[in-house]
Amino acid sequence: MVAEPGGPDDQKPQSDEARSAFSQPAGVGRSAGPSDDDHPTSEFSLPSGLTPEPQGPPAGPGTGSASGSDTIGSAFAPPRTYDARNSPPAFTPAHGIPMIRLTKEAPWQDRMRTMLRMPVADRPAPEPVQRHDDAGPAVPRVLDLTLRIGELLLAGGEGAEDVEAAMFAVTRSYGLDRCEPTVTFTLLSISHQPSLVEDPVTASRTVRRRGTDYTRLAAVFRLIDDITTVEGEISLEEAYRRLAEIRRNRHPYPGWVLTMAAGGLAGAASVLVGGGPLVFLIAALGAMLGDRLAWLCAGRGLPEFYQFVVAAMPPAAMGVALTLTHWSDVRPSAVITGGLFALLPGRALVAGVQDGLTGYYITASARLLEVMYFFIAIVAGVLLALYGGLQLGAELDPEARLISHDRPVVQILASMVLTLAFAILLQQERSTVLAVTLNGGVAWVIYGAMARTGGLSAVAATAAAAGLVGLFGQLFSRYRYTSSLPFITAAIGPLLPGSATYFGLLGVAQNELDRGLASLSTAVATALAIAIGVNLGSEISRLFMRVPGAVGGANRRAAKRTRGF
């Protein structure tokens, strides 16, 4: 609007300093609206004069609907029909990925493994089975409960994939979507992101003490199964209470029973390699003495490495003492081999190889490094006793290989006794002892039929027997809805390479490195055959189960990489 002559603006002229350099000069008409250059608009805004059409159902192909009819909004805003509780059904993408439906009839372990092996974008919406208020579950408390459960599982020897599956099952049962659990050898962490525009919530927990108690492990699995079951209705408070009871529970077997079980394991192992009743008693005595010394070292706070060194010395010392007495009726090699069976870390080896085969390479490397340290400790303890015996003039003959007599019934019974003792040492529930004992006997029958009757390679026979152990262990665990470790770990006891380890150490002690390293290589190959066979048997067992997957029969997804890149 231009000022009129004689108005207030004409009474006193303004200087150049009194006016802004960007003000409109006098005599120029002012525009009706702001200039586009002074007030730029977003390039995503609708042009002036264009009225958006109301939102309607999506038009199918060929209907001629214009693409500009959709209302443009934020890329992070949920669709108009989106609901966290009643989410719309997923549709098959154009490139042909089938829709994933999780069958509730399958065990939660398989359902959660299916979820973990999916990309995050392909995972179906969670189906919370626990009751909570409209505000949603308490996210920090759910994450804390999940970490505590994962800590007990990881400390009990479960594989990294099984621990992540359990943690994922707990969070999804309480309605937390977008949760990512991560498990390494000593660290557990879990992250929850409520939406794409909200800050994530992350919690972690460190495993500082490890203990073998399969009774506690089975109780944790029962708790997870109740949480993931719709009929369970386990609240957070109830889950915390049951978890506290699990942690406070005492071991099912006292210390003296564990010591007797260690002796029975060593004696049964000596019978497997050709020993008699006297060898059984001497090997059992040496193993019990080593077990008590290891308990004494543990009470003094010594690390596990030195506990293994001390535990390996009494059986080897007894074998050397028998050699010095020149008692021809007793085989010192059987005594030392039986004592080694109670110390070989078969459980940690199987867990480490399983983590490596399932893609958890950091955890697998840490577990295998732990196995290596334990093995070095056993080597150090046995070599100390053997070197002492050689200095005293003991004639240990590495050529005197263990020749087992044809007594299959005695050896089958010895393998079952060994498995029973191993199950007690693992603190298993009494209801699972019979099943794992039978599983160990069947494993030894398969090994004897293939290696001794059939004349096949001992490593191949061990792998086949371990595969059968893994197959039966998975079937038993699915029948009882619990972990497979109580049905597998003790059953592989008769297959452990005790004799190959002893003769390898004896060769090293006598400076016959070629023979010693060859025997140790055989022991390592046998141990790897056990671990791979157990894992393969477990995977084969899942092929015959009703495993959740894509429509059309696709099972659990895994990474596909057939080349080295």
Side-chain angles (χ1 to χ4, degrees):
M1 183 175 188
V2 181
E4 297 180 359
D9 295 338
D10 294 338
Q11 295 178 2
K12 185 178 181 180
Q14 296 179 350
S15 63
D16 294 337
E17 290 79 3
R19 291 187 296 109
S20 171
F22 298 98
S23 62
Q24 194 172 12
V28 178
R30 186 172 298 172
S31 59
S35 173
D36 291 341
D37 295 336
D38 294 339
H39 302 278
T41 59
S42 172
E43 59 182 8
F44 298 103
S45 61
L46 294 177
S48 58
L50 178 62
T51 302
E53 297 181 2
Q55 183 75 17
T63 56
S65 174
S67 61
S69 62
D70 296 331
T71 302
I72 299 177
S74 173
F76 300 100
R80 182 178 57 86
T81 59
Y82 178 80
D83 187 3
R85 302 276 182 174
N86 303 312
S87 59
F91 294 92
T92 303
H95 53 273
I97 296 179
M99 182 174 62
I100 303 298
R101 291 192 180 97
L102 296 179
T103 59
K104 295 184 178 180
E105 293 80 6
W108 64 265
Q109 295 98 321
D110 291 332
R111 287 189 282 118
M112 293 304 109
R113 284 194 186 95
T114 303
M115 298 290 295
L116 287 174
R117 295 189 180 187
M118 289 182 194
V120 178
D122 295 343
R123 293 174 181 171
E127 299 178 1
V129 298
Q130 307 299 330
R131 294 178 181 176
H132 46 74
D133 54 9
D134 296 335
V139 174
R141 295 196 67 197
V142 173
L143 298 185
D144 180 71
L145 175 67
T146 303
L147 289 174
R148 291 176 183 270
I149 291 176
E151 178 190 10
L152 288 180
L153 294 178
L154 187 61
E158 277 288 347
E161 186 181 31
D162 296 328
V163 176
E164 285 193 1
M167 297 171 63
F168 203 70
V170 174
T171 54
R172 288 183 66 87
S173 298
Y174 287 105
L176 297 187
D177 195 10
R178 300 181 181 275
C179 281
E180 287 296 332
T182 303
V183 175
T184 58
F185 184 58
T186 57
L187 180 65
L188 300 97
S189 63
I190 186 167
S191 177
H192 168 65
Q193 189 172 13
S195 66
L196 293 176
V197 294
E198 296 183 62
D199 295 333
V201 180
T202 303
S204 61
R205 198 171 183 89
T206 303
V207 178
R208 303 191 183 277
R209 285 193 61 185
R210 298 178 181 272
T212 304
D213 190 344
Y214 283 176
T215 300
R216 179 179 297 175
L217 193 67
V220 175
F221 266 79
R222 283 193 295 268
L223 174 60
I224 299 172
D225 186 66
D226 292 341
I227 292 175
T228 57
T229 303
V230 179
E231 294 81 5
E233 299 290 349
I234 304 295
S235 62
L236 280 174
E237 289 73 15
E238 178 67 15
Y240 267 108
R241 185 189 64 80
R242 290 183 54 179
L243 191 62
E245 291 180 355
I246 292 172
R247 298 179 70 96
R248 287 195 302 263
N249 283 345
R250 297 180 61 87
H251 299 307
Y253 307 104
W256 66 270
V257 174
L258 298 181
T259 302
M260 296 292 293
L265 192 154
S270 65
V271 173
L272 282 180
V273 294
L278 186 58
V279 171
F280 179 95
L281 294 177
I282 297 176
L285 182 60
M288 287 189 291
L289 180 58
D291 180 77
R292 285 293 90 190
L293 290 177
W295 275 94
L296 180 62
C297 294
R300 298 292 182 178
L302 289 179
E304 286 184 308
F305 179 87
Y306 301 105
Q307 297 176 28
F308 272 79
V309 172
V310 172
M313 294 179 66
M318 285 196 171
V320 171
L322 290 175
T323 304
L324 292 175
T325 58
H326 303 285
W327 202 347
S328 60
D329 295 336
V330 179
R331 303 177 64 181
S333 57
V335 174
I336 300 176
T337 301
L340 291 178
F341 264 84
L343 300 175
L344 293 177
R347 174 181 58 88
L349 176 66
V350 171
V353 174
Q354 180 181 358
D355 288 340
L357 294 176
T358 52
Y360 295 84
Y361 300 113
I362 297 178
T363 307
S365 302
R367 289 186 188 271
L368 293 178
L369 184 62
E370 180 188 35
V371 171
M372 186 188 72
Y373 271 102
F374 288 164
F375 190 77
I376 292 175
I378 297 171
V379 169
V382 175
L383 285 181
L384 286 175
L386 294 181
Y387 276 127
L390 292 177
Q391 296 300 321
L392 295 175
E395 297 179 358
L396 298 170
D397 188 7
E399 298 293 337
R401 296 292 174 176
L402 299 175
I403 302 175
S404 299
H405 303 286
D406 293 332
R407 43 179 188 176
V409 177
V410 174
Q411 290 183 338
I412 292 174
L413 292 177
S415 67
M416 297 177 68
V417 171
L418 189 153
T419 306
L420 175 63
F422 205 168
I424 295 175
L425 286 175
L426 294 174
Q427 301 279 2
Q428 292 191 196
E429 292 181 305
R430 292 178 175 87
S431 58
T432 63
V433 169
L434 178 60
V436 71
T437 301
L438 295 176
N439 200 11
V442 171
W444 182 258
V445 169
I446 298 300
Y447 171 79
M450 296 182 64
R452 300 184 178 179
T453 304
L456 298 179
S457 170
V459 176
T462 301
L468 196 63
V469 167
L471 176 62
F472 286 165
Q474 284 293 333
L475 295 178
F476 284 137
S477 67
R478 291 302 183 269
Y479 176 74
R480 298 178 59 91
Y481 294 97
T482 184
S483 172
S484 61
L485 288 181
F487 303 98
I488 291 177
T489 306
I492 65 174
L495 305 176
L496 293 176
S499 59
T501 303
Y502 162 67
F503 284 110
L505 298 179
L506 181 59
V508 172
Q510 294 182 341
N511 292 326
E512 297 180 359
L513 297 181
D514 294 338
R515 184 182 290 111
L517 293 179
S519 296
L520 290 178
S521 300
T522 303
V524 172
T526 304
L528 292 178
I530 293 174
I532 295 174
V534 167
N535 181 264
L536 182 60
S538 301
E539 295 295 333
I540 290 176
S541 66
R542 296 190 182 104
L543 297 178
F544 301 100
M545 298 177 184
R546 186 176 182 182
V547 179
V551 176
N555 289 328
R556 293 187 301 141
R557 297 183 180 182
K560 181 180 180 181
R561 185 171 63 179
T562 56
R563 298 172 181 85
F565 51 84

